[in-house]
């Protein structure tokens, strides 16, 4: 699937954002290595801490459907209903969830629309990460 199509899916998912407290609407589209795509939006809560980000919604949907091999994710976010005017970078918790299921070559795309997007590797946005390899080794940094 092309980036443009994945961005369109993320923009569509953003419309379902449940964000009455922040008014900040986020959409994500996660592409599996086998070509399946899963979308997600942020889902807020009156008690605040149960809020789930769009990226984690997409990951948890995919993993719960049996997927564990991922290629890329697109993230779009901004205040209100109009097209995002800024790039929305993934929060630290979502980067950590990506790190659980993806290797350092996983691509994170932040987009405003189909023509304006930036692409990063997970290793660039989560350097010195903590992950399963550390738990399984006796080596120290
Ligand atoms: N949010 C996301 O969905 N993804 C991110 O990576 C950043 C933050 C959501 C959480 C909350 O509903 C709103 O944006 C404001 O923080």
């Amino acid at each position: 699937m092309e980036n443009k199509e994945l961005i369109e899916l993320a923009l569509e998912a953003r419309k379902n954002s449940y964000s009455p407290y922040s008014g900040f609407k986020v959409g994500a589209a996660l592409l599996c290595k086998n070509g399946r795509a899963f979308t997600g939006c942020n889902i807020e809560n009156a008690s605040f801490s149960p809020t789930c980000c769009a990226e984690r919604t997409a990951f948890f949907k995919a993993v719960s459907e049996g997927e564990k091999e991922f290629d890329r994710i697109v993230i779009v976010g901004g205040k209100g209903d109009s097209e995002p005017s800024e790039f929305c970078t993934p929060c630290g918790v979502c980067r950590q969830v990506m790190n659980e299921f993806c290797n350092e070559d996983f691509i994170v795309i932040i987009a405003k629309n189909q023509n304006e997007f930036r692409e990063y590797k997970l290793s660039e946005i989560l350097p010195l990460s903590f992950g399963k390899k550390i738990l399984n080794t006796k080596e120290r940094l």
Side-chain angles (χ1 to χ4, degrees):
M1 186 183 290
E2 298 293 321
N3 283 340
K4 285 195 177 209
E5 204 180 334
L6 207 58
I7 292 168
E8 186 55 39
L9 287 178
L11 287 167
E12 270 305 303
R14 181 171 176 254
K15 293 180 184 166
N16 294 326
S17 166
Y18 177 75
S19 42
Y21 306 105
S22 72
F24 194 85
K25 296 177 169 229
V26 188
L30 175 63
L31 184 65
C32 304
K33 285 196 171 153
N34 63 13
R36 278 179 92 185
F38 290 83
T39 59
C41 64
N42 57 330
I43 304 168
E44 297 187 342
N45 191 282
S47 182
F48 289 10
S49 60
T51 292
C52 190
C53 290
E55 301 90 314
R56 273 178 287 145
T57 304
F59 264 93
F60 295 157
K61 280 170 69 179
V63 173
S64 70
E65 296 288 326
E67 300 296 345
K68 286 201 187 59
E69 302 277 321
F70 302 108
D71 185 64
R72 280 171 287 158
I73 191 167
V74 167
I75 303 150
V76 290
K79 279 261 179 191
D81 290 322
S82 50
E83 188 181 282
S85 55
E86 302 296 331
F87 291 109
C88 174
T89 47
C91 81
V93 173
C94 288
R95 293 177 201 206
Q96 185 66 26
V97 168
M98 292 173 196
N99 194 53
E100 186 66 28
F101 298 105
C102 308
N103 62 33
E104 59 217 16
D105 294 332
F106 179 69
I107 301 291
V108 177
I109 297 170
I110 52 175
K112 292 184 194 175
N113 54 55
Q114 288 185 319
N115 299 312
E116 292 177 277
F117 60 89
R118 293 181 186 166
E119 216 174 291
Y120 301 90
K121 279 186 181 181
L122 181 58
S123 55
E124 283 179 87
I125 64 166
L126 192 65
L128 284 177
S129 66
F130 180 85
K132 53 186 103 169
K133 278 186 197 152
I134 297 178
L135 285 181
N136 292 333
T137 182
K138 293 192 180 77
E139 287 173 35
R140 296 287 177 266
L141 283 174

